[in-house]
């Protein structure tokens, strides 16, 4: 017998399950050697691995399949307007049929979003200077299914703004304010509630 609860709960069918993940600006290499930027919000990390989720057919995925390298740039809360400027742009030319009504082609996404390119150290795609964390990475596993791709990348080098660095091995969580995407709304962190018993800072 199920225990009765005082909380009212109902079954729903959300159109999307973006329940709150960090926004990523994914840098990938175009065929002409320039860098494409893909705003995305399906990413999580474990150890030195980062798992990315991308819709099939986009320029970022095409580039990853071809060159196998990327930069996982993590913007902070102040960049949401810049990210939204890129939301209706695609690096695919011609624009795919399924995107044609809402998207337009843009080759220079750095300028379109108001971002500055920086050379990477160990991968070919450029980093985004304004992002407080920039993680150069290489693809180690990729699985395509039902119009999506799940990509596992391995971090090769991590760059961080001095303002969020606590030590060589620690980001200062009180100074780091990642941009969060929750059910298609942008949020930033504004209050520390506590820390895990595993925290070293």
């Amino acid at each position: 017998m199920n225990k009765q609860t005082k909380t009212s709960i109902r079954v729903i069918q959300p159109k999307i399950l973006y329940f709150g993940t960090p926004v990523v600006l994914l840098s990938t290499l175009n065929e002409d050697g320039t860098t494409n930027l893909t705003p995305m919000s399906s990413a999580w990390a474990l150890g030195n691995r980062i798992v990315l989720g991308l819709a099939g057919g986009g320029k970022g995925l095409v580039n990853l399949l071809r060159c196998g390298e990327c930069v996982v740039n993590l913007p902070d809360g102040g960049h949401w307007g810049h990210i939204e400027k890129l939301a209706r742009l695609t690096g695919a030319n011609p624009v795919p049929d399924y995107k044609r009504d809402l998207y337009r082609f843009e080759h220079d996404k750095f300028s379109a979003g108001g971002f500055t390119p920086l050379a990477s150290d160990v991968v070919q795609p450029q980093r985004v200077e304004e992002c407080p964390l920039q993680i150069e990475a290489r693809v180690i596993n990729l699985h395509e299914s039902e119009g999506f791709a799940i990509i596992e990348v391995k971090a090769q080098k991590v760059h961080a703004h001095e303002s969020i660095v606590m030590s060589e091995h620690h980001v200062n969580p009180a100074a780091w304010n990642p941009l969060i995407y929750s059910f298609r709304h942008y949020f930033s962190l504004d209050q520390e509630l506590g820390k895990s018993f595993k925290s070293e800072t």
Side-chain angles (χ1 to χ4, degrees):
M1 176 189 279
N2 290 336
K3 183 179 178 180
Q4 293 296 316
T5 177
K6 295 179 181 178
T7 304
S8 179
I9 300 174
R10 62 185 288 190
V11 174
I12 63 171
Q13 295 181 318
K15 290 184 177 180
I16 45 99
L17 286 174
Y18 294 132
F19 44 77
T21 49
V23 172
V24 166
L25 264 182
L26 188 70
S27 300
T28 57
L29 193 71
N30 292 319
E31 293 86 348
D32 63 1
T34 60
T35 296
N36 182 66
L37 293 178
T38 302
M40 57 175 296
S41 59
S42 295
W44 62 275
L46 184 64
N48 63 0
R49 303 294 202 273
I50 303 170
V51 178
L52 308 170
L54 284 173
K59 187 63 174 174
L61 179 57
V62 169
N63 286 347
L64 276 178
L65 288 167
R66 191 186 67 260
C67 77
E69 295 182 337
C70 65
V71 183
V72 178
N73 301 283
L74 291 154
D76 67 23
H79 293 124
W80 80 268
H82 297 271
I83 301 297
E84 190 61 17
K85 286 180 182 178
L86 299 178
R88 288 182 180 263
L89 305 180
T90 177
N93 189 22
V95 177
D97 289 342
Y98 73 96
K99 285 188 169 185
R100 198 160 284 153
D101 291 340
L102 293 175
Y103 296 82
R104 69 171 177 82
F105 169 70
E106 175 57 58
H107 185 69
D108 186 359
K109 301 244 192 107
F110 280 95
S111 293
F115 292 112
T116 308
L118 284 178
S120 295
D121 290 350
V122 296
V123 301
Q124 296 180 80
Q126 295 171 307
R127 296 177 284 132
V128 178
E129 181 177 5
E130 289 78 7
C131 290
L133 280 175
Q134 308 146 16
I135 305 167
E136 299 184 42
R138 292 196 172 101
V139 175
I140 58 173
N141 199 358
L142 193 149
H143 175 73
E144 292 184 89
S145 177
E146 298 180 0
F148 293 94
I150 299 169
I151 307 110
E152 181 184 358
V153 301
K154 182 177 180 180
Q156 304 295 314
K157 186 171 277 193
V158 179
H159 306 263
H161 286 191
E162 194 68 47
S163 61
I164 66 166
V165 173
M166 184 173 283
S167 73
E168 181 183 356
H169 301 292
H170 298 102
V171 168
N172 182 350
W176 168 227
N177 184 28
L179 180 60
I180 304 296
Y181 194 64
S182 178
F183 294 103
R184 294 184 172 154
H185 290 249
Y186 296 101
F187 292 88
S188 62
L189 303 181
D190 60 359
Q191 180 182 3
E192 180 178 353
L193 301 177
K195 63 181 181 179
S196 162
F197 76 93
K198 293 182 178 181
S199 174
E200 297 178 356
T201 58

